[in-house]
Amino acid sequence: MKAKSISREELAAAVNITKHRVGTLLKSASVDTEILKRISIKLSLNFFEYYRKDEDLARFEVDTAIQNHQELNQLKALIKEKNRLLELCDETIKSQKKIIASLENLRKL
């Protein structure tokens, strides 16, 4: 708060708690996660980052990254297939237009 020149009153207003509650939180050994999240946003400081060293959280992040990568690859494959189908559709339309043009020319004869 000092580094960002934010007073207790400003922080209290930003996170929707009383000035007295801010004082209590500053002395407390624990903080409600929702309040901590709002404080993190106001101070532009991710207090949750300190807990990222935990192995379970690290494993979760790795698993999530792997899952995201797999989902991304699946989406890329779907887009590739969609594009192939669109190309086939375009080719079919071109062929149909040629057939229509040929039939119209035959009708004129």
Side-chain angles (χ1 to χ4, degrees):
M1 289 170 48
K2 284 182 183 179
K4 300 205 182 256
S5 299
I6 295 175
S7 68
R8 288 183 183 197
E9 293 85 5
E10 289 176 280
L11 186 62
V15 298
N16 199 28
I17 58 176
T18 65
K19 177 184 168 187
H20 176 73
R21 180 81 172 118
V22 171
T24 303
L25 289 173
L26 292 173
K27 297 173 188 171
S28 179
S30 64
V31 179
D32 177 76
T33 54
E34 181 59 33
I35 293 173
L36 186 59
K37 180 178 86 173
R38 294 191 313 248
I39 291 171
S40 291
I41 291 167
K42 175 62 181 171
L43 298 178
S44 299
L45 179 63
N46 186 357
F47 289 102
F48 296 96
E49 187 72 25
Y50 297 106
Y51 298 99
R52 292 188 69 192
K53 307 298 184 233
D54 185 278
E55 285 185 34
D56 291 336
L57 289 176
R59 185 73 220 152
F60 173 75
E61 288 178 349
V62 168
D63 291 345
T64 302
I66 290 170
Q67 182 180 357
N68 289 344
H69 184 69
Q70 290 170 342
E71 289 174 0
L72 182 62
N73 285 338
Q74 289 172 346
L75 289 172
K76 285 179 180 178
L78 286 172
I79 289 171
K80 185 176 181 180
E81 179 65 14
K82 176 198 67 93
N83 288 337
R84 188 185 69 77
L85 291 171
L86 286 172
E87 288 174 8
L88 287 173
C89 184
D90 286 343
E91 289 175 21
T92 302
I93 290 171
K94 286 177 186 175
S95 294
Q96 293 296 322
K97 285 181 179 180
K98 286 180 182 177
I99 291 171
I100 290 170
S102 295
L103 289 172
E104 286 175 348
N105 286 335
L106 284 174
R107 191 175 79 176
K108 291 179 183 177
L109 295 175

